[in-house]
């Protein structure tokens, strides 16, 4: 059985306050995008994990796909599986690729083993893996608050907008980025901003991480500026970076402009 975990982008991101546990309360809008990995499971005599595509260092047992499997094994009888992950979503990009893989693994095993686990329980299990992991269970646009784990449905469709996603070969330290931000409630809630036309977002929708990340990595700022110069009606960094996306009303081809970087172009669902 196979599935195709997709990435997400952040439409705005406000760091609202620091929590007593050391984490931060945020407000953002998660929006799914059709940039996908491939994940397959088949019956086997013993459980194995195989990863191809983009190279991921570290112990395979620590991969979020395996963590998702282990979480289900704590409560359910799961047979031995041969697991294959084709990784194409850039990591360290603010796109939630690892969280997507874990959430889709939960759903895939649930279907394959006919466990009949409810959406609510799948989201609860996903929350033990990562803060934004539960989003990918229902995989619909949401307003996210708390640490990014409290969701409210939003009525938002970017269907037929053209997305250009650019990921430079730059690693952004999320803990360092958080340490440089002064948390404060947003002047205008993202829930209000996303009700306005997309061509008005440029002047009202903000990602709080951009100021600190751009100061450390001006190359990322330049990508955003180039997207606007190419005709984007809205452009922003996703999460704490380093990927930057632009929304266009018509298809464009910008791979030559950003030839030194990873680029994905296509229509949004």
């Amino acid at each position: 059985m196979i599935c195709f975990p997709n990435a997400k982008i952040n439409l705005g991101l406000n760091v609202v306050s620091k929590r007593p546990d050391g984490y931060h309360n945020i407000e953002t809008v998660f929006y799914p995008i059709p940039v996908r990995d491939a994940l397959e499971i088949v019956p086997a005599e013993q459980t194995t994990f195989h990863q191809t595509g983009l190279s991921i260092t570290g112990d395979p047992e620590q991969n979020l796909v395996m963590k998702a499997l282990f979480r289900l094994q704590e409560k359910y009888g799961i047979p031995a599986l041969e697991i294959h992950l084709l990784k194409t979503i850039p990591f360290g990009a603010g796109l939630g690729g690892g969280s997507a893989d874990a959430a889709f693994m939960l759903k895939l095993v649930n279907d394959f083993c006919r466990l009949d686990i409810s959406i609510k329980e799948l989201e609860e299990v996903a929350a033990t893996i990562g803060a934004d992991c539960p989003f990918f269970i229902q995989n619909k646009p949401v307003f996210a608050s708390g640490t990014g784990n409290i969701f409210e449905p939003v009525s938002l469709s970017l269907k037929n907008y053209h997305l250009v996603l650019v990921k430079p070969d730059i690693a952004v330290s999320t803990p360092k980025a958080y340490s440089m931000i002064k948390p404060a409630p947003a002047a205008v809630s993202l829930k209000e901003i996303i009700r306005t036309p997309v061509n008005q977002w440029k002047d009202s929708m903000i990602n709080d991480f951009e100021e600190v990340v751009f100061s450390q990595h001006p190359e990322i700022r330049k990508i955003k500026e180039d997207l606007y110069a190419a005709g984007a009606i809205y452009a922003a960094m996703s999460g704490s970076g380093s990927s930057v996306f632009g929304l266009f009303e018509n298809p464009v081809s910008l791979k030559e402009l950003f030839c030194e970087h990873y680029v994905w172009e296509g229509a949004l669902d």
Side-chain angles (χ1 to χ4, degrees):
M1 184 176 286
I2 191 168
C3 66
F4 300 93
N6 60 272
K8 59 81 181 167
I9 52 174
N10 294 77
L11 299 174
L13 196 159
N14 305 128
V15 182
V16 178
S17 61
K18 189 168 183 177
R19 300 158 53 98
D21 60 10
Y23 291 93
H24 290 77
N25 289 315
I26 67 168
E27 292 183 349
T28 188
V29 174
F30 290 142
Y31 196 93
I33 60 173
V35 182
R36 297 182 173 96
D37 290 338
L39 179 63
E40 182 181 26
I41 58 175
V42 294
E45 293 185 1
Q46 64 179 21
T47 294
T48 56
F49 176 71
H50 309 274
Q51 189 264 315
T52 55
L54 296 175
S55 178
I56 301 177
T57 59
D59 183 356
E61 295 287 304
Q62 295 302 310
N63 188 282
L64 295 186
V65 167
M66 295 303 291
K67 287 189 176 183
L69 178 62
F70 297 152
R71 290 290 190 274
L72 292 180
Q73 287 177 333
E74 292 171 1
K75 187 173 180 181
Y76 299 94
I78 309 295
L81 299 170
E82 185 175 323
I83 304 162
H84 295 267
L85 174 65
L86 173 61
K87 192 70 189 164
T88 63
I89 300 173
F91 47 87
L95 301 174
S99 294
D101 294 338
F104 275 75
M105 182 63 174
L106 295 176
K107 295 189 286 185
L108 193 62
V109 173
N110 184 37
D111 293 341
F112 183 79
C113 298
R114 301 180 181 179
L115 301 177
D116 198 29
I117 305 173
S118 68
I119 293 295
K120 183 175 183 297
E121 184 178 346
L122 285 173
E123 289 179 339
E124 290 171 352
V125 175
T128 69
I129 301 171
D132 59 354
C133 198
F135 161 73
F136 292 101
I137 298 298
Q138 298 196 57
N139 208 28
K140 299 176 181 178
V142 295
F143 173 80
S145 56
T147 59
N149 63 331
I150 301 172
F151 305 133
E152 299 176 39
V154 294
S155 179
L156 174 65
S157 174
L158 298 177
K159 185 176 182 180
N160 297 327
Y161 280 96
H162 189 83
L163 175 75
V164 176
L165 178 71
V166 183
K167 165 65 170 68
D169 188 18
I170 296 173
V172 174
S173 168
T174 299
K176 182 178 180 181
Y178 268 113
S179 71
M180 298 173 68
I181 285 180
K182 294 182 179 179
V188 182
S189 172
L190 283 168
K191 287 189 283 188
E192 296 182 28
I193 295 174
I194 61 169
R195 296 191 187 105
T196 63
V198 178
N199 59 12
Q200 295 180 17
W201 289 359
K202 179 179 180 180
D203 299 320
S204 57
M205 189 179 290
I206 296 170
N207 180 339
D208 286 344
F209 282 112
E210 287 189 353
E211 182 177 356
V212 297
V213 171
F214 288 174
S215 69
Q216 299 291 312
H217 304 284
E219 310 98 308
I220 302 178
R221 180 197 302 272
K222 180 68 162 49
I223 292 171
K224 179 178 177 179
E225 292 172 347
D226 287 345
L227 286 168
Y228 273 127
I233 57 172
Y234 177 69
M237 191 173 70
S238 185
S240 58
S242 60
S243 67
V244 183
F245 65 90
L247 297 177
F248 294 79
E249 292 181 308
N250 299 298
V252 293
S253 180
L254 301 181
K255 289 187 177 181
E256 185 174 343
L257 175 62
F258 298 111
C259 60
E260 297 180 356
H261 310 308
Y262 166 94
V263 178
W264 186 94
E265 299 174 332
L268 290 172
D269 298 333

